[in-house]
Amino acid sequence: TPVVVAVAVVAGTFAAFADSESDAPGPAAPLELASVSTDIAGHYQAAADLADVYRQVTCYCGCEEFLGHRDLYDCFVRADGQGWEAHAARCGVCIAESTLVRALLDAGTPTGAIPAAVIDRFGTTPTTAPPV
């Protein structure tokens, strides 16, 4: 089911970060869009083009806890404005939320209704890291 898949993706994301972040000296380098698929790069470009919408959407992968992200936009664009945030390229939840945002916009959904639609689909509170 979609919920089980989302939970598995989130758990896998946290496990990957737990292993990599403990040894990391600082923030990851900016992502090069040429290093990801055209589909993933399209989500990054959509976040940049639709910044006002992406900034209204809460991300439900838990990145606010381990990366300090404030919204879905932060998952794609570095907070310092110096390039692309690498996180979303390897996070199924971020990509799923972006897919929903883009589909809703393509269907003509008013931008003000999009945050509520994301909440309806992904939950009422952001996910937090599973207990270790």
Side-chain angles (χ1 to χ4, degrees):
T1 66
V3 173
V4 172
V5 171
V7 170
V9 168
V10 171
T13 299
F14 287 120
F17 278 111
D19 291 341
S20 64
E21 300 243 343
S22 61
D23 298 327
L31 176 74
E32 295 293 331
L33 289 188
S35 70
V36 297
S37 71
T38 56
D39 179 56
I40 297 297
H43 288 284
Y44 277 85
Q45 194 58 56
D49 293 345
L50 304 165
D52 58 327
V53 177
Y54 277 63
R55 284 185 174 125
Q56 295 176 44
V57 175
T58 299
C59 184
Y60 288 90
C61 78
C63 60
E64 77 285 349
E65 294 291 324
F66 62 91
L67 293 173
H69 290 171
R70 300 162 295 184
D71 47 49
L72 187 59
Y73 179 80
D74 284 354
C75 299
F76 291 91
V77 180
R78 291 173 61 101
D80 63 8
Q82 302 299 309
W84 304 110
E85 170 63 51
H87 168 70
R90 60 183 180 262
C91 180
V93 175
C94 295
I95 297 302
E97 284 191 37
S98 179
T99 299
L100 178 60
V101 168
R102 293 170 70 187
L104 291 168
L105 288 170
D106 287 347
T109 303
T111 58
I114 290 175
V118 172
I119 291 169
D120 287 346
R121 174 72 186 262
F122 290 91
T124 56
T125 57
T127 310
T128 55
V132 178

CSV table of all heavy atoms in Angstrom, one decimal, residues 9 12 128:
chain,number,residue,atom,x,y,z
A,9,VAL,N,10.3,4.2,2.5
A,9,VAL,CA,11.1,5.2,1.9
A,9,VAL,C,11.7,6.1,3.0
A,9,VAL,O,12.9,6.4,3.0
A,9,VAL,CB,10.4,6.0,0.8
A,9,VAL,CG1,11.2,7.2,0.4
A,9,VAL,CG2,10.1,5.1,-0.4
A,12,GLY,N,14.3,4.3,5.1
A,12,GLY,CA,15.5,4.1,4.4
A,12,GLY,C,16.3,5.4,4.3
A,12,GLY,O,17.5,5.4,4.3
A,128,THR,N,8.9,12.3,11.9
A,128,THR,CA,10.1,12.5,12.6
A,128,THR,C,10.9,11.2,12.5
A,128,THR,O,10.4,10.2,12.1
A,128,THR,CB,9.9,12.8,14.1
A,128,THR,OG1,9.1,11.8,14.6
A,128,THR,CG2,9.2,14.1,14.3
